[in-house]
């Protein structure tokens, strides 16, 4: 049972990473000029950074809330 969250997290990261790659590639291929392509690449990079920051913030908030509730989340 201990390996289930690890497998699910790895699968989720693989699926989201693949979807993000193809979404960025599709938008990149749709650009007509180099200026449009630069904007798409820059925007996708900003979206990726915002996603990572939100994910880190969510993890921090989860651990803070769990600590507030008195749940011990230390590794053995």
């Amino acid at each position: 049972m201990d390996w289930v969250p690890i497998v699910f997290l790895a699968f989720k990261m693989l699926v989201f990473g693949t979807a993000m790659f193809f979404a960025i590639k599709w938008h990149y291929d749709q650009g007509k000029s180099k200026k449009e392509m630069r904007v798409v690449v820059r925007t996708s990079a900003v979206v990726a950074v915002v996603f990572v920051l939100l994910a880190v913030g969510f993890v921090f908030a989860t651990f803070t809330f769990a600590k507030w509730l008195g749940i011990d989340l230390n590794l053995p």
Side-chain angles (χ1 to χ4, degrees), residues 42-60:
R42 185 177 9 172
T43 304
S44 59
V46 169
V47 168
V49 167
V50 168
F51 177 77
V52 168
L53 289 176
L54 286 173
V56 169
F58 183 71
V59 168
F60 178 73

Side-chain angles (χ1 to χ4, degrees), residues 23-52:
I24 291 169
K25 183 180 181 310
W26 182 83
H27 281 92
Y28 185 79
D29 291 341
Q30 295 298 315
K32 300 288 182 196
S33 69
K34 289 188 182 232
K35 183 178 179 184
E36 289 179 14
M37 285 189 259
R38 262 187 258 142
V39 170
V40 170
V41 170
R42 185 177 9 172
T43 304
S44 59
V46 169
V47 168
V49 167
V50 168
F51 177 77
V52 168

